Amino acid sequence: MTKEIKGPQLNRRGFMGASTLGTGAALVGLGMSGGALAQGNPAAGAPQVDFPNDPRLFGGSGTNRTEMDLRDCEVEGDWPKDLDGAFYRVGPDPQYPKQPEYVGDIPFDGEGHVSMFRIKDGHVDYKTRYARNARWVAQAEARQSLFGMYRNPGTDDPSVAGFNRGTANTQLFTHHGKLLVFKEDSPPVAMDPLTLETIDPEYTFGGKLESKTHTAHPKIDPLTGEFVSFGYEATGFLSKDVNVFTADKDGNITWSVTVEAPYAGMMHDFCVTQDYVVLYLPNMPADEALIAEGGPHFRYNSQLPCYLGVLKRGGDGSDMKWFTGPNYFCTHVMGGWNEGTKITVDMDGGEGNQFPFFPSLHEPWDPVKGTGYLRRFTVDLAARGDSYEAVTIFPEITGVLARQDDRYHTLPYRWGFLQANGGWAIIDHQAGTSKVFTIPGVSLSEMCFVPRTPDAAEGDGYLIGLGSVQAEGGRSDLILLDLANVDAGPRARVKMPYRCVGQVHGWWADASAIGA
Ligand SMILES: [Fe+2]
């Protein structure tokens, strides 16, 4: 019997476009590449592990799946002897091939595979483990995929009805002694920061997390050490409710409030300032009709307004206000702050959909409109009206996956970083200048900023991230760039013997944060 294949499946143009711009940068991080077009799905009978060869199908662009330990990686160059910490990464790494009708599922539905480069005394050890949550365990026991389309529980095997569907594949974060691994449709998975053992497959801050979901991009207030976070679709599948909360440096929830968004939709990142929480709702709504058809969760709607939402930290949420303005499809926040009632937020985003694997309601996917630029949003709560302003800054730079020196989130900041077409863009807001660091023949994934010392000045330190060596089948190098001497090229690198597990995002943790 031939089964209908669900899902949008990128056409060739969409796939190649995704690989070169927009959130395609994340796909570079995942190590996706072209390949043969033969499809190898199991016939009826005993379930087999046979991923498709077509890169447009789920898992067809490459999987890793091997949990690894490599002590004393091969290092080159001048690794700073006093650099003591861990560089963590996480990305979707399909645990099993999808059932035949769901091979059109999107790449972001793979199970989260966590990797760690532990760096100390110039030595680097590498370790990877899957986040072993309920989904991973159920599938491991069944030896096959039990979950259907991306964030569509109606497509699941009946044996996992009501399960937490989270994949823990997007971002990870150290706080109050735990490595928390996130997928925005579910609570975090807590792992041991040194062994990567899963210690809580559904971490709820001691049972106090009110939201059923949790963002992949929480923030730490550098002045208080507080963990500030949110979850959308907080009270249930497709709900418009957004829960915003704060936990203290020990993980105790100290503030929690639930507000309502204009519509249920993708709210991937957010901004925290000293006085406000700023939410952003780009025009990628959760689409009930698409879900009912067996498709993925979201469908881009260019005719819906984007909303910037502001609420006061520590309040009861009754001041929540939503603003509209230029419709930029933004996903990641570089930085933001407030001066009194005036709020500034920098985000990367396109004029249109940056996720070609989510269908568009009104028009075909447009790679030009999907190209990411840095956009500066401003709003004054004291002004009349309900609109924000947004302008493009540093138009010479196209890129995505914005980062900053995380010690300056909530505060006015000088230095920002973007993954820019296989390189790393370094932006100096104070001087108004930018430069792009590249390594010929190497595609660089998203990077993290590493302070030279815990109390170093803003921007004084390194960028760390993975490079994919094109001439060697995508073999991985871990690159360390000294921001004090960018023109000299990488200060040091780790030459891995294979292509490492892919990533969406990474996180640097000082040894003091991981109990090392
Ligand atoms: Fe993200």
Side-chain angles (χ1 to χ4, degrees):
M1 183 177 75
T2 302
K3 290 189 174 180
E4 181 188 0
I5 295 175
K6 301 289 187 185
Q9 298 173 63
L10 298 186
N11 58 28
R12 194 71 189 167
R13 178 169 173 260
F15 180 83
M16 296 310 290
S19 298
T20 55
L21 58 83
T23 296
L27 303 186
V28 171
L30 297 178
M32 293 180 75
S33 59
L37 294 177
Q39 181 182 338
N41 280 309
Q48 300 169 38
V49 178
D50 184 5
F51 283 93
N53 295 324
D54 185 336
R56 295 167 297 187
L57 301 180
F58 186 81
S61 57
T63 62
N64 182 291
R65 304 179 72 227
T66 309
E67 296 181 315
M68 293 185 173
D69 285 281
L70 176 56
R71 186 170 175 82
D72 270 323
C73 301
E74 182 181 353
V75 299
E76 297 177 345
D78 177 25
W79 276 93
K81 282 204 168 51
D82 57 353
L83 195 61
D84 186 1
F87 178 51
Y88 298 99
R89 306 159 56 247
V90 67
D93 188 11
Q95 182 187 5
Y96 285 103
K98 290 287 179 178
Q99 300 298 337
E101 59 268 51
Y102 302 124
V103 294
D105 197 9
I106 70 168
F108 285 176
D109 207 26
E111 286 70 22
H113 197 164
V114 173
S115 59
M116 171 181 67
F117 291 92
R118 174 74 177 102
I119 300 166
K120 182 178 171 61
D121 296 330
H123 292 276
V124 181
D125 300 330
Y126 178 68
K127 178 188 286 290
T128 85
R129 294 291 185 273
Y130 271 103
R132 299 191 176 202
N133 58 3
R135 173 181 178 131
W136 190 94
V137 171
Q139 294 188 144
E141 289 176 352
R143 291 184 178 271
Q144 61 180 311
S145 172
L146 299 173
F147 294 82
M149 292 297 287
Y150 178 81
R151 295 181 65 176
N152 188 339
T155 59
D156 294 346
D157 187 274
S159 67
V160 291
F163 267 52
N164 174 351
R165 304 184 80 257
T167 47
N169 70 9
T170 310
Q171 172 62 309
L172 66 190
F173 217 90
T174 48
H175 195 264
H176 57 284
K178 295 178 173 60
L179 178 64
L180 302 176
V181 192
F182 307 111
K183 177 72 184 183
E184 64 197 42
D185 66 349
S186 49
V189 173
M191 300 174 84
D192 182 295
L194 292 176
T195 67
L196 302 188
E197 177 191 358
T198 297
I199 54 177
D200 190 340
E202 189 171 302
Y203 183 68
T204 57
F205 296 80
K208 300 289 173 53
L209 179 65
E210 293 183 9
S211 178
K212 296 179 184 300
T213 63
H214 189 286
T215 179
H217 288 287
K219 301 289 185 283
I220 294 176
D221 183 326
L223 302 188
T224 64
E226 286 174 299
F227 180 95
V228 189
S229 191
F230 76 101
Y232 68 91
E233 299 192 28
T235 58
F237 192 66
L238 298 176
S239 82
K240 294 193 288 186
D241 296 324
V242 183
N243 177 252
V244 186
F245 73 95
T246 301
D248 66 18
K249 57 184 173 48
D250 299 317
N252 303 303
I253 290 185
T254 51
W255 172 58
S256 177
V257 65
T258 298
V259 296
E260 188 176 286
Y263 51 85
M266 180 186 293
M267 300 175 74
H268 182 64
D269 199 353
F270 80 140
C271 182
V272 181
T273 74
Q274 277 298 300
D275 297 315
Y276 299 100
V277 168
V278 186
L279 304 169
Y280 193 65
L281 179 64
N283 41 6
M284 181 68 91
D287 191 306
E288 223 165 328
L290 182 66
I291 293 168
E293 292 165 12
H297 198 77
F298 298 112
R299 178 152 49 191
Y300 176 70
N301 184 344
S302 58
Q303 295 179 12
L304 270 183
C306 300
Y307 286 93
L308 190 83
V310 181
L311 74 160
K312 194 157 180 52
R313 284 175 65 179
D316 63 4
S318 60
D319 60 314
M320 177 84 228
K321 185 169 181 182
W322 294 94
F323 299 85
T324 56
N327 260 17
Y328 289 130
F329 185 91
C330 293
T331 47
H332 290 107
V333 171
M334 179 174 279
W337 70 93
N338 75 285
E339 294 166 283
T341 57
K342 295 179 181 176
I343 298 169
T344 303
V345 181
D346 295 335
M347 293 187 268
D348 65 73
E351 292 181 11
N353 182 11
Q354 291 199 300
F355 296 93
F357 37 74
F358 290 122
S360 295
L361 190 58
H362 298 294
E363 62 284 292
W365 180 69
D366 182 339
V368 174
K369 287 188 172 178
T371 300
Y373 290 88
L374 192 58
R375 321 285 186 174
R376 172 155 289 183
F377 291 69
T378 51
V379 66
D380 186 348
L381 299 176
R384 301 176 73 173
D386 55 4
S387 61
Y388 60 76
E389 294 183 5
V391 297
T392 301
I393 56 176
F394 298 93
E396 72 276 17
I397 300 292
T398 60
V400 292
L401 301 166
R403 302 295 298 243
Q404 70 176 145
D405 179 340
D406 291 318
R407 300 170 303 162
Y408 282 78
H409 195 75
T410 76
L411 301 171
Y413 73 108
R414 175 175 179 178
W415 296 99
F417 313 103
L418 273 182
Q419 204 269 13
N421 296 328
W424 293 338
I426 300 160
I427 288 171
D428 181 345
H429 288 284
Q430 182 174 305
T433 58
S434 65
K435 69 166 62 176
V436 178
F437 166 75
T438 60
I439 304 175
V442 177
S443 297
L444 296 170
S445 300
E446 181 218 53
M447 85 309 285
C448 288
F449 173 79
V450 182
R452 194 174 305 276
T453 59
D455 58 354
E458 185 195 357
D460 179 18
Y462 314 96
L463 294 182
I464 193 168
L466 227 67
S468 179
V469 183
Q470 293 154 4
E472 299 179 48
R475 188 189 57 73
S476 300
D477 276 350
L478 178 66
I479 303 295
L480 187 78
L481 178 68
D482 192 333
L483 287 168
N485 197 3
V486 171
D487 294 339
R491 171 162 169 171
R493 70 174 76 197
V494 174
K495 189 175 179 182
M496 297 298 289
Y498 36 65
R499 190 177 80 177
C500 290
V501 177
Q503 74 175 83
V504 178
H505 292 295
W507 178 256
W508 169 262
D510 184 78
S512 61
I514 57 175

